Amino acid sequence: MPELPEVETTRRGIEPHIVDSTVSRVVIRERRLRWPVAKDVDRKLPGKKIESVGRRAKYLLINTEAGSAILHLGMSGSLVVLDQGTPAGVHDHIDIEFDSGLMLRFRDPRRFGSLHWRASPLSHPLLRDLGPEPLGAEFDGDYLWRKSRGRKVSVKQFIMNAHIVVGVGNIYASEALFLAGINPRRAAGRIAKQRYDALAGAIREVLSKAIRAGGTTLRDFFGGDGEAGYFQQQLEAYGREDEPCRCCGTPITAIVQGQRTTYYCKQCQT
Ligand SMILES: [Zn+2]
């Protein structure tokens, strides 16, 4: 499933190809995605110039002066920039064509993605209640410390809550807690401020590293086959059950928290 780093890499990959282009046509072959694609998308996008491509959490915002298309890649979605007229495959559900002769093609075999239109996207119900961006200025150890006071939930589940901070998926939560040396089972409300400083730094580090990895390992978004996207990186704890901790050699432990598997070192993470 595309996580925040993959979505950010996609944003950086497509933006230079479509910004300042004007939408000439929107072709929707399949409206039945996670939610039906709103008619507003094909009614309002044509004739509009793309001002920028933004991102909020895992939503891409294709911004025009009149509003924004809000696109989520779901479980299996991908975007690629192609020449118009490139034959569509069975999973190529949406093309946004531009006056440049290029088009942005959305492919989504499992159809868990979505596409909405909104005059002011950040007020959309999907976006308005989200916590801050983990790479933004609002997010730091002090913020996590303040938000966590009085909370009995585990710190792992706390940082995966999108109302607290967006984009910390299961892999990144395990990795960040390992880097910060914090036991994932510890109650969020019982962690000192200095430890949250370390955790906020670790969250930024794992996400930034993944975005850098995406930038160097992804194929160009122009002319690709639409499979581009999801890269591997070296993981310190996640997926390493019973393998030796890279710091102390203790076998990594796997536990289940909130239906998700957490990997950690009982020796290094306290
Ligand atoms: Zn260890």
Side-chain angles (χ1 to χ4, degrees):
M1 166 157 43
E3 294 286 347
L4 185 145
E6 288 88 347
V7 178
E8 175 62 19
T9 303
T10 298
R11 186 194 73 74
R12 294 178 187 185
I14 63 172
E15 187 179 44
H17 298 295
I18 67 171
V19 82
D20 290 334
S21 295
T22 297
V23 176
S24 49
R25 191 166 76 121
V26 177
V27 179
I28 299 181
R29 298 183 194 84
E30 176 59 87
R31 275 185 197 278
R32 295 169 299 166
L33 301 182
R34 179 169 182 185
W35 295 286
V37 176
K39 290 255 170 35
D40 267 358
V41 173
D42 27 325
R43 272 203 293 258
K44 304 230 165 126
L45 257 185
K48 305 296 192 308
K49 188 161 115 181
I50 306 302
E51 293 187 329
S52 62
V53 181
R55 179 187 58 74
R56 177 73 174 103
K58 296 204 285 181
Y59 294 90
L60 286 165
L61 308 177
I62 301 171
N63 299 315
T64 76
E65 60 182 357
S68 304
I70 305 172
L71 189 135
H72 196 287
L73 299 173
M75 307 285 287
S76 59
S78 60
L79 284 171
V80 67
V81 179
L82 296 168
D83 288 317
Q84 283 164 31
T86 306
V90 63
H91 301 301
D92 293 336
H93 304 313
I94 299 168
D95 293 340
I96 300 174
E97 298 180 350
F98 302 97
D99 58 356
S100 60
L102 298 177
M103 65 179 173
L104 185 63
R105 173 164 282 173
F106 179 58
R107 173 178 298 175
D108 187 4
R110 296 182 63 184
R111 292 197 279 120
F112 278 103
S114 64
L115 182 60
H116 291 87
W117 174 267
R118 189 87 172 183
S120 46
L122 298 182
S123 69
H124 193 282
L126 290 167
L127 302 184
R128 67 185 174 207
D129 298 325
L130 294 173
E133 290 287 326
L135 300 175
E138 239 184 290
F139 177 74
D140 59 15
D142 188 56
Y143 167 82
L144 284 178
W145 180 79
R146 280 185 284 110
K147 282 288 194 183
S148 61
R149 293 309 87 188
R151 297 218 186 198
K152 294 192 170 82
V153 67
S154 75
V155 61
K156 162 93 177 322
Q157 287 165 288
F158 175 69
I159 60 173
M160 287 183 66
N161 179 346
H163 297 298
I164 300 299
V165 56
V166 299
V168 184
N170 195 42
I171 296 176
Y172 300 115
S174 271
E175 292 292 290
L177 287 161
F178 179 86
L179 284 185
I182 295 172
N183 186 316
R185 307 170 71 146
R186 190 172 278 275
R190 300 188 61 98
I191 293 175
K193 182 172 168 315
Q194 298 93 306
R195 303 196 81 194
Y196 272 122
D197 290 340
L199 182 56
I203 289 171
R204 285 173 181 274
E205 189 179 329
V206 295
L207 292 171
S208 303
K209 195 173 125 192
I211 292 168
R212 282 198 304 274
T216 55
T217 61
L218 283 188
R219 279 165 296 173
D220 198 331
F221 277 79
F222 176 72
D225 60 6
E227 301 295 338
Y230 316 122
F231 36 88
Q232 297 293 318
Q233 56 183 316
Q234 178 171 313
L235 298 171
E236 303 296 331
Y238 187 86
R240 300 192 64 241
E241 186 175 14
D242 295 334
E243 290 176 48
C245 168
R246 295 194 214 276
C247 290
C248 74
T250 302
I252 295 288
T253 300
I255 57 170
V256 175
Q257 296 179 289
Q259 285 98 50
R260 309 299 301 276
T261 307
T262 304
Y263 298 86
Y264 75 110
C265 175
K266 282 183 167 167
Q267 190 68 31
C268 295
Q269 293 176 250
T270 58

